[in-house]
Amino acid sequence: MSGANVAAAGSVVSGANVAAAGNVVSGANVPAAGNVVSGAEFTAMLLADARLPTGGHAHSAGVEPAVLGGLAPGRVRELMIGRAVTASRVEAGAAVVARHVLVSGSGALAQVAAEWAARTPAPAQRDASAELGRGYLRLGRSLWPSSPHLADAGRLDRPYRPLILGAIAAESGLPATDLARLVIYDEAAGAAAALLKLEPGDPAEATGWILDACAASEPLLGELAALTDPVAIPASGAPQTEEWAQAHTTRDRRLFRA
């Protein structure tokens, strides 16, 4: 994967596409509130932005639990690469399947939630995902107030993050491959940003680790994008990170929620 592809989060940022941003801003034709997001490419750029108001700043993508659990900061690159092909693969797969069931109208979203939860055994990780999901759901409802897909996702008992991202992708027309890449990129970028707050270092080096993590996952994207059945969501968890996440909930001195 080239640097440009990762930064683009699915080839979103590419020459004229940036300036056009889905032709959202063109002269006096500034879209009215409630119709701001008008293209899949613009949606991908939006979701890849760390400044998105979803509460992601309070989460470290497993980095703080790992470092407090004994992982040397210099090995976070290995953690990011490992998560990209295991835990993030599960997240991406669940998001893709959620997108599919919503677009197809199969009504199987609750099954997707159950299958994802079965592959995420640590209660701390499920709780953190539901918190993030609520943030994405609130944002999505603000941008697409009449969305039937977000309405369906909002009826879940717990709005896990990958399912809400799947609903946003279904509403905006974001392709499955771009969605899978986005989910993996977002986790890697969140991990790098968290590390710089916990152990200040060279941001350029941490950015390179994002590229490494995304490159490691790139061969998996075709398989992930083709998923349609909830039971086929990958079961490639990372038990050590789950243990760290659960132990993290008992600590009284921490910077991040998870």
Side-chain angles (χ1 to χ4, degrees), residues 108-155:
L109 195 60
Q111 184 185 358
V112 181
E115 295 291 346
W116 176 87
R119 291 158 174 76
T120 311
Q125 291 185 327
R126 296 197 298 272
D127 291 346
S129 183
E131 287 182 1
L132 285 169
R134 291 185 191 100
Y136 279 105
L137 183 60
R138 179 181 181 277
L139 178 68
R141 283 170 164 168
S142 296
L143 298 177
W144 296 278
S146 301
S147 168
H149 301 315
L150 287 163
D152 287 345
R155 284 190 282 270

Side-chain angles (χ1 to χ4, degrees), residues 80-214:
M80 290 167 60
I81 293 173
R83 282 182 60 87
V85 297
T86 56
S88 296
R89 182 184 174 202
V90 177
E91 295 281 305
V96 167
V97 175
R99 172 191 174 278
H100 171 78
V101 302
L102 286 167
V103 170
S104 67
S106 69
L109 195 60
Q111 184 185 358
V112 181
E115 295 291 346
W116 176 87
R119 291 158 174 76
T120 311
Q125 291 185 327
R126 296 197 298 272
D127 291 346
S129 183
E131 287 182 1
L132 285 169
R134 291 185 191 100
Y136 279 105
L137 183 60
R138 179 181 181 277
L139 178 68
R141 283 170 164 168
S142 296
L143 298 177
W144 296 278
S146 301
S147 168
H149 301 315
L150 287 163
D152 287 345
R155 284 190 282 270
L156 291 168
D157 290 337
R158 306 197 76 190
Y160 297 124
R161 169 181 172 267
L163 278 70
I164 304 305
L165 287 174
I168 291 174
E171 183 60 38
S172 65
L174 187 67
T177 300
D178 290 351
L179 173 60
R181 183 181 283 120
L182 169 70
V183 171
I184 294 169
Y185 164 80
D186 183 57
E187 291 218 347
L195 177 63
L196 293 173
K197 294 175 183 177
L198 294 166
E199 297 284 342
D202 184 356
E205 181 179 31
T207 300
W209 295 356
I210 299 172
L211 295 178
D212 294 340
C214 290

Side-chain angles (χ1 to χ4, degrees), residues 48-62:
D49 191 339
R51 296 164 296 184
L52 202 66
T54 58
H57 63 281
H59 296 258
S60 71

